[in-house]
Amino acid sequence: MTENGIWNWEHAWEVLPDLLEGLVVTIEATVVGMAIASILGLFIALAMRSPSRWVTIPLRFVVDFIRMTPLLVQLVFVWLLFSTIPTLVVGFTVLGVHYATYMSEVYRAGIEAVPKGQWEAATALNLPKSRTWRAVILPQAVRNTLPGLGNYAISMFKETPFLFAISVVEMYTKAQQYGALTFSYIEPLTLVGLLFLLVSYPTSLLVRRMEIRLA
Amino acid sequence: MSDFLQTLTSRLPSLGDAILVTLELTLGGAVLAMALALLLGFGARTRSLWVRGPSRVFIEFFRGTSLVVQIFWIFYVLPVFGFKMEALAVGIVALGLNFGAYGAEVVRGSVASVPASQWEATIALNMSWFHRVRRVIFPQAWALMIPMLTNLLIQLLKGSALAYYITLHDVNFWTTQLRRATSETVYSFTAGLLVYFVIAYLLTWGMNALEERAKRRLGRGTRPSLRDVVGLRPAVGTAAITGRGTAA
Amino acid sequence: MTSSTSTAQGGVPAIEFKDVVKRFGDNVVLDQLNFSVAKGDRVTLIGPSGSGKTTILRLLMTLEEANGGLILIDGDPYTHEYKGDRWVEIPEKRRRVVRNRVGMVFQQFNLFPNMTVLENIIEAPVNVLGLKKADAVARAEQLLEQVGMSEKRDFKTNQLSGGQQQRVAIARALAMDPEILLLDEVTSALDPEIVADVLGVLREIAETTDITMLLVTHEMQFAREVSNRVLMFDKGQIVEEADPETMFTHPKHERTQEFLKAVLG
Ligand SMILES: Nc1ncnc2c1ncn2[C@@H]1O[C@H](COP(=O)(O)OP(=O)(O)OP(=O)(O)O)[C@@H](O)[C@H]1O
Ligand SMILES: [Mg+2]
């Protein structure tokens, strides 16, 4: 490109430290969000096995409602609703709850994939129900869910930029701020995209290998 | 509350327009995504490295770089190169590219799980490649891919809410306007989210009908769902919505 | 190198293998195989498991690619040819011209589940051979009659039993009017009591047509009735060939004797 070309390396170098700072927040959001999603998702999956329809039907509706409506709108909604809670907490929690609805399906499938013989063996050994769950079923189910967890972690990582809508300064917001300040969007936005690729592609290769190993 | 209802009623016509924008984005994006998914999905399967290589790069690139970044890149940066598009077109193109890449993996995976013996039978009957795919392979792969495409479609609808941030007056925009006018956060957002939910529900319903038909064509599908196998996007039970249990 | 030439009337053979080599990785399955099949011959391939019988049929259907040598159909190069000294692949377009003369029935039937019985049969005649639909349907109905499947015309394929599916698959292959029909253990996926039905259908085809047949089967009685030549394979080589009577009653080669003893008990 020519001297006064479109791409400006100076801008690129200038914004990069900011972006890396943002990347830290992005990764934090993913880690905290997935932690919430993993735990809450498990509880949802277990509650969905309740024999009472008074539990399962309302829960099913809430889960589907969260799952089938935009995360972006949910973020803004909760943020406006609880304006006293720190933004970061709101952002991480909404991400976590949204993904908990996905994770609950992963757990459900994982639990269902545990062979029936395992239940029968536990019954034959006269293990109490809680022991059966903790010692026999869940360890196997969790193993089944690892690839799903990995895939959703990558997916969440790429959705953290939604946090810009509630002005959590993660990587994308950093880029946006720099763009607004200098009227130069090309370097920050391109770099953000490449940084996402740089993290998510190798991670997805790892998850794929894990899938093959566990299969 | 009654104030809210009054304002809501007065804003129903603009809700119609907003839904239209959201649907244009969703369906436009879906059509573009499906076309790309077929192209790239089959491209990623060919023997020729000249086709397979670029297909794979395209797929990984658009899966890896985040929809948010893509939509704003096309909106803010692409005009610098002289490609200025209307906001609606930006939204459709961004959604189409992103979900086309995800869809390509669905197409590739589903086509790969049609038994090799079906390809062999088409060769033994001396069919051309296009004929094989159109009449034998795709109809079987199609039944496998619909549940996963349904998930992607719902994700696409949800992603379309970004359109508000590139100046479009979609359902997300309508929701924030309603809240601004009424100062009723809970009511406004519940109304907005309900609109999204109903659209998602109807789309799921339509896709389930398509799946039902595709399975009937195969004489009642008995094959396992691929959802978990390809596991790229929410492998969530759309089945629950209709109360119809399918193997996930 | 084994050489085997048809004993039947002169003229160009329907099938000719010239120094055909096929490897899977390091596993050399066919090492410069030569043999030919005259027009109208009914040839049965026998031999122990893994000797390469299926591989030969799959090469003829272009489901596998040879690593060397030539396969000729009616004297026409089919999958590869020599351009000067260079051994080159023949492009798909030209292969399709020759492939129209070859049909195959599979062990696992491989019917198309997205089509009815009738649609399975007319699909290729209409779209590959360019027959008028009405003509294709008439011919399909005649074939269904022949294989005893007329009532199932409009059924989906997974509503049929294995034996019924195989009879439809035979009709589907015949609807292409092949000069050469390849049959690879077409009864071995079937329940014993259905095998006779399918063999009956094949016997009738052998009696009423002059299609060149190349078949792999473990049904020695059937091979004896239908074929006029038997080739005994071992390790990708023809170790013995004879008419069925001689082969089954007075096998010469030691390997053949062992094999037949094992199969016939
Ligand atoms: N797709 C393949 N990949 C690797 N090796 C193969 C493949 N197909 C066949 N082989 C090998 O080629 C050899 C010949 O196989 P082929 O199927 O032709 O034997 P066959 O005579 O038909 O045996 P059978 O009587 O068991 O059907 C075997 O050693 C087999 O392992
Ligand atoms: Mg075999």
Side-chain angles (χ1 to χ4, degrees):
Chain A
M1 224 150 275
T2 54
E3 283 166 48
N4 53 353
I6 298 169
W7 178 270
N8 184 330
W9 281 106
E10 250 167 64
H11 284 162
W13 286 121
E14 201 172 59
V15 73
L16 196 56
D18 281 3
L19 296 183
L20 292 176
E21 237 171 75
L23 180 60
V24 174
V25 180
T26 294
I27 290 173
E28 274 170 13
T30 310
V31 171
V32 177
M34 277 317 285
I36 296 173
S38 307
I39 295 163
L40 184 60
L42 180 59
F43 280 112
I44 297 173
L46 293 177
M48 285 303 289
R49 296 179 66 88
S50 150
S52 162
R53 306 177 98 202
W54 294 102
V55 176
T56 55
I57 291 178
L59 186 60
R60 181 83 261 172
F61 177 78
V62 172
V63 166
D64 280 339
F65 191 85
I66 295 175
R67 188 170 62 75
M68 292 174 78
T69 54
L71 173 61
L72 187 57
V73 182
Q74 291 167 8
L75 277 168
V76 177
F77 181 18
V78 178
W79 178 56
L80 292 172
L81 205 57
F82 301 101
S83 47
T84 51
I85 300 178
T87 331
L88 224 52
V89 176
V90 170
F92 293 2
T93 310
V94 174
L95 263 180
V97 171
H98 194 88
Y99 272 75
T101 63
Y102 301 159
M103 282 305 294
S104 71
E105 279 304 313
V106 174
Y107 285 117
R108 184 189 58 73
I111 292 167
E112 279 172 13
V114 176
K116 230 177 119 203
Q118 296 292 310
W119 288 96
E120 290 168 358
T123 312
L125 292 171
N126 207 14
L127 288 182
K129 190 128 191 163
S130 63
R131 186 79 198 137
T132 306
W133 272 105
R134 268 187 300 122
V136 182
I137 305 303
L138 284 183
Q140 297 184 54
V142 165
R143 210 180 114 89
N144 294 338
T145 60
L146 286 179
L149 185 115
N151 279 320
Y152 282 128
I154 297 168
S155 176
M156 182 189 280
F157 174 69
K158 287 179 286 194
E159 288 205 324
T160 50
F162 281 138
L163 294 176
F164 83 88
I166 59 171
S167 51
V168 168
V169 186
E170 44 61 68
M171 187 162 53
Y172 171 75
T173 315
K174 286 271 190 199
Q176 182 71 44
Q177 286 174 347
Y178 184 89
L181 213 67
T182 59
F183 296 105
S184 165
Y185 283 95
I186 177 163
E187 298 86 4
L189 282 185
T190 308
L191 285 177
V192 168
L194 292 178
L195 282 171
F196 270 111
L197 189 63
L198 207 67
V199 177
S200 71
Y201 182 60
T203 320
S204 71
L205 288 184
L206 277 177
V207 173
R208 251 175 255 177
R209 268 185 50 188
M210 180 167 73
E211 268 172 328
I212 293 165
R213 280 251 308 276
L214 291 179
Chain B
M1 177 75 195
S2 67
D3 278 358
F4 175 78
L5 281 180
Q6 211 167 10
T7 318
L8 180 66
T9 321
S10 73
R11 279 168 186 264
L12 280 182
S14 65
L15 175 61
D17 295 337
I19 290 176
L20 203 63
V21 172
T22 291
L23 281 180
E24 276 169 357
L25 284 161
T26 305
L27 299 180
V31 168
L32 178 59
M34 194 62 210
L36 268 175
L38 288 172
L39 210 68
L40 296 170
F42 278 102
R45 279 181 48 87
T46 54
R47 273 201 296 173
S48 150
L49 194 65
W50 291 105
V51 180
R52 201 176 62 226
S55 302
R56 276 250 69 92
V57 170
F58 193 100
I59 292 170
E60 296 303 344
F61 182 83
F62 281 97
R63 268 160 50 111
T65 50
S66 176
L67 173 64
V68 182
V69 179
Q70 286 157 15
I71 202 167
F72 288 119
W73 201 93
I74 296 174
F75 190 68
Y76 288 114
V77 179
L78 212 50
V80 179
F81 296 96
F83 295 99
K84 184 133 184 64
M85 284 188 282
E86 276 182 49
L88 185 66
V90 170
I92 290 174
V93 167
L95 291 165
L97 288 172
N98 186 269
F99 286 94
Y102 280 99
E105 284 294 275
V106 172
V107 170
R108 193 189 55 76
S110 312
V111 170
S113 59
V114 174
S117 57
Q118 288 290 311
W119 286 97
E120 294 184 348
T122 62
I123 296 173
L125 292 169
N126 208 9
M127 296 178 178
S128 67
W129 183 88
F130 191 70
H131 183 198
R132 286 175 210 167
V133 168
R134 191 174 59 89
R135 298 281 298 176
V136 178
I137 305 301
F138 189 75
Q140 296 179 52
W142 177 233
L144 286 175
M145 64 178 93
I146 295 176
M148 291 177 285
L149 293 180
T150 308
N151 282 331
L152 287 181
L153 184 62
I154 302 306
Q155 293 294 329
L156 197 155
L157 166 71
K158 288 156 64 178
S160 80
L162 275 168
Y164 163 48
Y165 297 94
I166 56 167
T167 73
L168 286 170
H169 294 184
D170 68 340
V171 175
N172 191 7
F173 170 81
W174 179 85
T175 307
T176 45
Q177 290 302 103
L178 182 64
R179 182 204 172 247
R180 210 160 282 169
T182 60
S183 305
E184 291 278 7
T185 307
V186 173
Y187 291 150
S188 305
F189 275 85
T190 305
L193 287 172
L194 267 174
V195 171
Y196 276 110
F197 184 67
V198 170
I199 296 174
Y201 190 99
L202 291 176
L203 289 175
T204 305
W205 188 70
M207 291 298 280
N208 284 349
L210 274 185
E211 185 188 359
E212 219 28 62
R213 205 180 67 146
K215 280 186 171 171
R216 236 190 342 267
R217 286 214 171 153
L218 299 182
R220 214 92 196 93
T222 47
R223 280 166 213 286
S225 157
L226 247 195
R227 253 178 246 176
D228 295 330
V229 182
V230 181
L232 16 98
R233 281 262 166 162
V236 276
T238 38
I241 296 285
T242 54
R244 187 173 52 82
T246 37
Chain C
M1 239 192 273
T2 323
S3 178
S4 155
T5 317
S6 173
T7 46
Q9 72 273 26
V12 201
I15 302 169
E16 189 168 10
F17 272 49
K18 281 187 176 170
D19 297 329
V20 171
V21 178
K22 177 62 190 170
R23 286 185 299 265
F24 290 105
D26 293 337
N27 179 8
V28 181
V29 178
L30 304 179
D31 186 11
Q32 310 219 346
L33 177 69
N34 287 281
F35 79 98
S36 63
V37 175
K39 289 202 170 99
D41 259 10
R42 276 59 191 268
V43 177
T44 301
L45 306 181
I46 61 171
S49 182
S51 57
K53 307 178 298 287
T54 295
T55 303
I56 290 170
L57 298 198
R58 290 175 59 84
L59 283 168
L60 276 165
M61 202 64 261
T62 67
L63 302 176
E64 302 285 356
E65 289 289 309
N67 301 106
L70 296 180
I71 298 171
L72 307 176
I73 302 292
D74 300 333
D76 295 327
Y78 181 20
T79 60
H80 296 82
E81 65 187 341
Y82 281 102
K83 276 199 175 145
D85 276 350
R86 275 183 41 238
W87 182 74
V88 293
E89 217 172 273
I90 291 175
E92 173 68 11
K93 213 169 164 185
R94 265 178 63 205
R95 283 184 180 192
R96 287 191 71 204
V97 176
V98 179
R99 203 192 280 129
N100 261 342
R101 302 175 207 160
V102 187
M104 184 162 184
V105 181
F106 297 87
Q107 190 175 341
Q108 297 292 345
F109 338 127
N110 298 356
L111 293 177
F112 304 136
N114 55 318
M115 300 180 190
T116 64
V117 166
L118 183 76
E119 286 165 351
N120 259 280
I121 298 175
I122 65 168
E123 179 65 27
V126 170
N127 293 295
V128 176
L129 301 180
L131 255 62
K132 279 210 203 70
K133 188 161 176 204
D135 296 343
V137 170
R139 171 87 175 115
E141 280 171 343
Q142 184 197 336
L143 285 166
L144 282 173
E145 181 77 46
Q146 198 179 335
V147 299
M149 290 291 296
S150 293
E151 330 80 274
K152 307 286 186 189
R153 202 190 97 135
D154 297 313
F155 278 50
K156 279 279 152 70
T157 59
N158 59 0
Q159 296 171 298
L160 306 181
S161 71
Q164 293 172 329
Q165 290 192 47
Q166 194 58 297
R167 283 185 279 163
V168 172
I170 292 168
R172 182 173 76 173
L174 290 176
M176 293 294 281
D177 269 325
E179 292 167 26
I180 299 165
L181 190 60
L182 309 172
L183 304 148
D184 189 7
E185 303 192 26
V186 295
T187 57
S188 47
L190 302 177
D191 293 335
E193 66 268 24
I194 308 168
V195 170
D197 289 354
V198 173
L199 292 183
V201 166
L202 291 176
R203 200 175 290 120
E204 196 192 315
I205 294 162
E207 280 161 13
T208 58
T209 69
D210 54 4
I211 298 177
T212 307
M213 285 165 132
L214 191 54
L215 50 123
V216 177
T217 182
H218 291 151
E219 304 283 337
M220 295 303 162
Q221 185 53 37
F222 174 72
R224 208 160 162 171
E225 285 173 38
V226 169
S227 53
N228 58 351
R229 260 175 90 208
V230 180
L231 302 182
M232 166 73 194
F233 271 85
D234 191 28
K235 304 196 175 87
Q237 301 283 340
I238 297 170
V239 293
E240 185 168 357
E241 70 158 300
D243 62 280
E245 207 48 46
T246 319
M247 183 69 101
F248 292 127
T249 51
H250 304 291
K252 289 198 200 69
H253 202 281
E254 196 189 334
R255 289 292 294 128
T256 321
Q257 289 162 3
E258 281 169 26
F259 173 74
L260 287 176
K261 216 166 115 194
V263 188
L264 300 174

